[in-house]
């Protein structure tokens, strides 16, 4: 449970919408191939997983399909490498997570 | 020459049969010659919803197998003289439905009616695929709820690949009909809203049928809701949807939550 959940609308419909967007993009195939957003999501996650262990439960993906532009938002919890042995804390945003990762490897 | 329309959804219980009866009746009330065909072999219900269950003698399977002529199996509605029903068989196995047989029956019906409306069974098996096979247009009945939306997405995929039109490289006309829409719950963010459903399924909207006791009452008495209570909200919504099917431009209104004082004061505690 993230602190952001506190500020979300109280209804469950937005969550239903997000879950459906992701599920359907996964199930839909265009001429026997998954669609572009699904391919991108899988490749991005695979690339990150090569560097750090990624728990799929801690990955939040949001897809919005528009007529001309679609957006793909991936929010991954990356374990704080320096402190994983003591306290497995997480950093909430991908950008922040990579920053930690870079600092940790230098 | 008729337009063949399939009413489909994938998921069961979303309102296919109710919508077939209501749209068929609304088109007939507007003077169109309409046949509604039940494809749910073994679980027929369109006869019951139309109040014709005691008048069934022959059915679709009899016609396919040559045991009866189409004119013998068609049942004319007692209230609307341009509305006809071709019932499904309640006793036969659904494998008795053959592609060649369905093609022949649909072809014969095309020359006799303005509209042939095929009420699809739930699921994606034989009955459902044959109900959509020869359609020119589809009405996809969807409830604003995750499992219904997912199944509709699957059905849209089948409409675009497994129908005769799709196989010939043509586009099947698709319409989204949202049923059981509860404005109160949508307002509270508990139910997917219309924009969400349309956005996810990218199919044009034919109409929004509000959740209403009138729909249940209509099936209880065996009369399409557009006849049973013509001024009710669902009847008006179905009538507008039927006009849109005929190509008229009718603005769509999203039902709004009516704020009842009593409900507002005591609703939360009661719920």
């Amino acid at each position: 449970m993230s602190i952001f959940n506190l500020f979300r609308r109280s209804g469950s419909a937005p969550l239903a919408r997000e879950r459906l967007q992701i599920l359907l993009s996964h199930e839909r195939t265009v001429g026997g191939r998954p669609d572009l957003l699904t391919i991108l999501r899988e490749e991005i996650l695979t690339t990150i997983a090569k560097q750090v262990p990624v728990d799929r439960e801690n990955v939040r993906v949001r897809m919005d399909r528009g007529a001309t532009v679609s957006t793909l938002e991936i929010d991954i919890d990356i374990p704080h490498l320096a402190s994983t042995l003591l306290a497995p804390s997480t950093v909430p945003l991908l950008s922040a997570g990579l920053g930690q990762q870079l600092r940790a490897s230098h | 020459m008729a337009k063949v329309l399939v009413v489909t959804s994938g998921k069961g219980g979303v309102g296919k049969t109710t919508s077939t009866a209501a749209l068929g009746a609304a088109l007939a009330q507007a003077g169109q010659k309409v046949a509604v065909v039940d494809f749910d072999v073994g679980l027929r219900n369109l006869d019951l919803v139309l109040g014709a269950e005691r008048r069934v003698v022959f059915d679709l399977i009899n016609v396919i197998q040559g045991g009866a002529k189409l004119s013998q199996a068609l049942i004319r509605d007692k209230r609307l003289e341009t509305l006809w029903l071709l019932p499904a068989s309640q006793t036969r196995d659904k494998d008795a439905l053959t592609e060649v047989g369905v093609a022949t029956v649909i072809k014969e019906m095309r020359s006799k009616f303005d509209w042939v409306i095929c009420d699809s069974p739930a699921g994606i098996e034989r009955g459902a695929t044959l109900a959509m096979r020869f359609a020119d247009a589809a009405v996809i009945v969807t409830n604003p709820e995750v499992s219904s939306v997912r199944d509709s997405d699957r059905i849209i995929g089948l409409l675009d690949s497994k129908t005769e039109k799709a196989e010939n490289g043509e586009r099947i006309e698709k319409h989204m009909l949202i049923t059981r829409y509860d404005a109160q719950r949508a307002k509270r963010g508990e139910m997917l809203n219309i924009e969400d459903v349309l956005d996810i399924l990218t199919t044009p909207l034919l109409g929004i049928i509000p959740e209403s006791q009138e729909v249940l009452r209509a099936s209880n008495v065996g009369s399409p809701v557009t006849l049973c209570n013509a001024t009710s909200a669902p009847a008006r919504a179905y009538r507008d949807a039927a006009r849109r099917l005929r190509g008229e431009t009718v603005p769509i209104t999203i039902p709004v939550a009516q704020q009842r004082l009593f409900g507002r004061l005591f609703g939360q505690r009661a719920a």
Side-chain angles (χ1 to χ4, degrees):
Chain A
M1 171 73 91
S2 124
I3 193 156
F4 297 111
N5 289 347
L6 294 175
F7 300 104
R8 283 199 176 161
R9 277 187 283 164
S10 57
S12 51
L15 181 61
R17 180 200 154 93
E18 278 181 36
R19 290 178 58 219
L20 271 171
Q21 294 267 26
I22 291 153
L23 174 74
L24 294 181
S25 81
H26 196 73
E27 286 180 350
R28 276 174 197 157
T29 51
V30 183
R33 271 182 65 120
D35 73 0
L36 179 66
L37 283 191
T38 305
I39 296 171
L40 287 177
R41 184 191 63 187
E42 285 310 312
E43 291 194 355
I44 290 168
L45 288 178
T46 311
T47 306
I48 291 171
K50 278 184 200 158
Q51 303 300 324
V52 273
V54 175
D55 179 0
R56 287 265 169 162
E57 287 293 301
N58 290 324
V59 176
R60 284 168 299 279
V61 184
R62 193 184 151 85
M63 288 164 149
D64 260 315
R65 218 168 289 268
T68 50
V69 178
S70 298
T71 59
L72 171 65
E73 229 177 276
I74 304 184
D75 182 356
I76 309 172
D77 286 353
I78 294 173
H80 198 304
L81 289 189
S83 57
T84 35
L85 288 176
L86 294 168
S89 67
T90 58
V91 279
L93 295 171
L94 175 57
S95 52
L98 284 180
Q100 292 289 346
Q101 159 69 19
L102 283 174
R103 271 197 298 278
S105 59
H106 276 288
Chain B
M1 196 67 174
K3 189 162 196 174
V4 178
L5 188 71
V6 60
V7 177
T8 185
S9 70
K11 190 175 186 302
V14 296
K16 283 182 295 298
T17 302
T18 304
S19 298
T20 303
L23 290 173
L27 286 167
Q29 283 169 292
Q32 300 278 293
K33 202 172 174 197
V34 182
V36 289
V37 187
D38 194 344
F39 272 79
D40 206 345
V41 176
L43 290 170
R44 74 169 176 223
N45 275 317
L46 190 54
D47 54 336
L48 197 56
V49 169
L50 285 169
E53 70 277 11
R54 289 189 298 174
R55 298 167 61 209
V56 175
V57 182
F58 297 113
D59 56 53
L60 174 62
I61 302 291
N62 294 136
V63 179
I64 285 177
Q65 295 182 337
K69 281 188 277 186
L70 178 63
S71 56
Q72 292 175 297
L74 282 167
I75 303 167
R76 189 180 212 153
D77 190 85
K78 282 193 167 167
R79 300 146 298 205
L80 294 169
E81 61 175 23
T82 58
L83 178 64
W84 302 74
L85 162 70
L86 180 57
S89 169
Q90 185 71 339
T91 50
R92 303 298 184 88
D93 191 85
K94 64 180 186 309
D95 292 337
L97 219 50
T98 61
E99 178 162 347
V100 178
V102 172
T104 313
V105 175
I106 296 281
K107 192 178 173 207
E108 190 180 348
M109 294 181 93
R110 272 186 195 271
S111 62
K112 294 186 163 63
F113 295 94
D114 299 317
W115 294 88
V116 176
I117 308 180
C118 305
D119 182 20
S120 173
I124 52 171
E125 287 173 39
R126 196 183 191 89
T129 52
L130 283 177
M132 71 170 66
R133 181 76 187 143
F134 305 102
D136 304 307
V139 171
I140 301 132
V141 183
T142 307
N143 293 165
E145 174 267 323
V146 285
S147 52
S148 176
V149 173
R150 181 196 207 175
D151 292 358
S152 291
D153 191 72
R154 183 97 163 87
I155 282 292
I156 290 168
L158 293 178
L159 286 166
D160 287 334
S161 61
K162 303 284 185 201
T163 53
E164 197 180 53
K165 266 207 146 125
E167 285 178 6
N168 291 337
E170 296 170 64
R171 280 192 79 82
I172 185 164
E173 197 185 296
K174 296 188 294 282
H175 306 274
M176 176 71 50
L177 185 67
I178 295 178
T179 55
R180 309 201 67 167
Y181 181 74
D182 184 333
Q184 299 271 3
R185 302 186 67 187
K187 192 180 169 194
R188 289 198 298 261
E190 295 169 7
M191 184 179 247
L192 283 168
N193 62 40
I194 305 290
E195 292 79 24
D196 286 348
V197 177
L198 296 181
D199 192 35
I200 292 167
L201 295 176
T202 55
T203 302
L205 184 62
L206 180 69
I208 305 160
I209 315 299
E211 172 83 69
S212 165
Q213 300 210 346
E214 287 305 318
V215 174
L216 178 62
R217 208 175 80 81
S219 62
N220 283 347
V221 302
S223 169
V225 72
T226 52
L227 272 179
C228 180
N229 185 350
T231 56
S232 63
R236 277 182 281 132
Y238 275 120
R239 213 160 38 236
D240 285 350
R243 287 172 63 195
R244 290 182 200 110
L245 277 177
R246 294 183 64 195
E248 281 185 53
T249 308
V250 186
I252 295 183
T253 47
I254 296 179
V256 287
Q258 283 169 1
Q259 195 62 272
R260 284 165 306 181
L261 184 63
F262 193 79
R264 195 168 55 196
L265 288 175
F266 300 104
Q268 277 192 323
R269 195 170 297 173

